Amino acid sequence: MAYDQTEFLLTQPLQSTLSENLARIRKIAEGSSDLLVNEFLLSGLPAALLCCEGMLSTAMITELILNPITQIQLPNPNGMQVLDFIQNRQLYSIDRAEADTYAKLFRFLNSGFAVLVVDGAAKALVFGIQGYDKRSVSEPSGENNVMGAKDGFIEVVRVNMSLLRRRMKTPQLKLELFVKGTKSQTDLCLCYMADRVPKQLIRQIKDRLDRMELETILSSGYVQPFLENRRRCFFDAVGATQRPDVLCAKLFRGARRFAH
């Protein structure tokens, strides 16, 4: 029963009352100790800044968000006016978005975003200030290289996307980011050269990915069976590499690659 109630709450839109939003957020989190809720007054209105402990730097969130946001003073504002002012007049983070459902809010929250909820506003602002520990970019152990670059892919998809973009600055390189896995909510990125890959083929690949019914995606091996050719073939249709330069070379020849 509790599981069904949580799933139902996730589909609901945010409320305009801060206390109701916080009550529902805590109910969905069910006492999870990594949920941090910082309540304060924002231009005289009750507000809360939410974050997931360990997913961002506490010093950064204090310096970039909390300190400047508490200095905002507007004459007789309501919640929506405060959020619109922050969205249009303030720049606390380059990576910003809005969440109007609890599912979106938790998606951002568990991805390392800071989430701002204000009384009187039926939406939340999210700020991308992720600062969790991750493995540094280093030479891949499985594919040693003598004359080429020494960097290799890591577990963070956005870092991997930047490794590709640094090598191929053409706008023809498309990096389409989306989410799969009903429980893991894993970031996946489809990479291809728009001028070298038929659009029909891209649509076919996207259709296969859309038909995946996976709760969890922990590695690219979970996705690979859905991309394999159905017909028997002497050669593998899907490969793997740890090296960005190898992937860029294959993309340049018109290959489609799926990054995780």
Side-chain angles (χ1 to χ4, degrees):
M1 183 66 68
Y3 168 79
D4 293 337
Q5 189 175 21
T6 298
E7 292 295 315
F8 173 75
L9 285 176
L10 284 172
T11 64
Q12 298 302 298
L14 291 179
Q15 304 299 299
S16 58
T17 306
L18 177 65
S19 58
E20 179 67 19
N21 282 327
L22 293 183
R24 293 190 177 194
I25 289 169
R26 289 189 173 104
K27 189 173 186 62
I28 293 172
E30 291 184 318
S32 181
S33 59
D34 60 346
L35 173 64
L36 302 181
V37 180
N38 302 278
E39 297 187 55
F40 63 101
L41 289 179
L42 174 52
S43 192
L45 296 174
L49 189 64
L50 316 176
C51 61
C52 189
E53 186 176 13
M55 296 292 290
L56 43 74
S57 167
T58 55
M60 187 179 297
I61 192 175
T62 301
E63 180 180 355
L64 297 182
I65 306 295
L66 270 178
N67 285 341
I69 210 171
T70 53
Q71 305 302 316
I72 295 177
Q73 294 296 330
L74 300 177
N76 302 318
N78 57 43
M80 291 300 298
Q81 288 173 341
V82 171
L83 292 187
D84 290 341
F85 177 82
I86 295 173
Q87 187 77 313
N88 299 321
R89 302 290 185 88
Q90 305 295 309
L91 187 62
Y92 299 133
S93 170
I94 298 297
D95 190 3
R96 296 186 297 175
E98 297 181 356
D100 55 4
T101 66
Y102 295 103
K104 291 181 180 179
L105 186 148
F106 272 89
R107 163 67 187 157
F108 284 112
L109 191 64
N110 293 331
S111 297
F113 284 71
V115 179
L116 176 65
V117 186
V118 181
D119 190 57
K123 67 177 182 179
L125 295 184
V126 297
F127 308 96
I129 53 173
Q130 295 92 327
Y132 52 85
D133 292 332
K134 59 180 181 293
R135 183 167 60 90
S136 61
V137 177
S138 58
E139 184 175 5
S141 59
E143 295 179 67
N144 294 326
N145 189 11
V146 177
M147 301 181 64
K150 303 298 181 182
D151 53 352
F153 290 125
I154 65 171
E155 291 78 13
V156 182
V157 68
R158 292 181 183 272
V159 176
N160 293 338
M161 292 164 62
S162 70
L163 293 175
L164 297 179
R165 184 62 72 185
R166 283 170 51 193
R167 288 171 167 82
M168 303 178 70
K169 301 177 176 62
T170 171
Q172 296 294 345
L173 173 61
K174 307 300 181 183
L175 305 173
E176 297 189 17
L177 193 65
F178 50 97
V179 179
K180 291 294 179 182
T182 56
K183 300 300 182 186
S184 63
Q185 293 284 285
T186 306
D187 287 321
L188 304 176
C189 182
L190 181 63
C191 316
Y192 60 93
M193 294 290 289
D195 59 340
R196 297 172 185 269
V197 179
K199 293 183 179 180
Q200 181 180 359
L201 185 54
I202 295 298
R203 286 196 295 268
Q204 291 176 0
I205 294 175
K206 290 181 179 179
D207 288 341
R208 290 187 182 183
L209 297 175
D210 288 338
R211 288 196 297 268
M212 289 193 311
E213 296 182 358
L214 297 177
E215 289 188 339
T216 303
I217 300 176
L218 302 179
S219 71
S220 57
Y222 285 66
V223 181
Q224 184 170 338
F226 295 91
L227 301 177
E228 293 281 2
N229 286 335
R230 302 295 193 275
R231 296 172 296 180
R232 294 182 179 180
C233 183
F234 288 107
F235 304 100
D236 290 333
V238 179
T241 182
Q242 294 176 304
R243 290 173 47 184
D245 55 344
V246 172
L247 177 52
C248 287
K250 293 182 181 298
L251 289 172
F252 185 74
R253 292 198 294 267
R256 286 76 57 202
R257 284 299 180 270
F258 192 69
H260 164 256

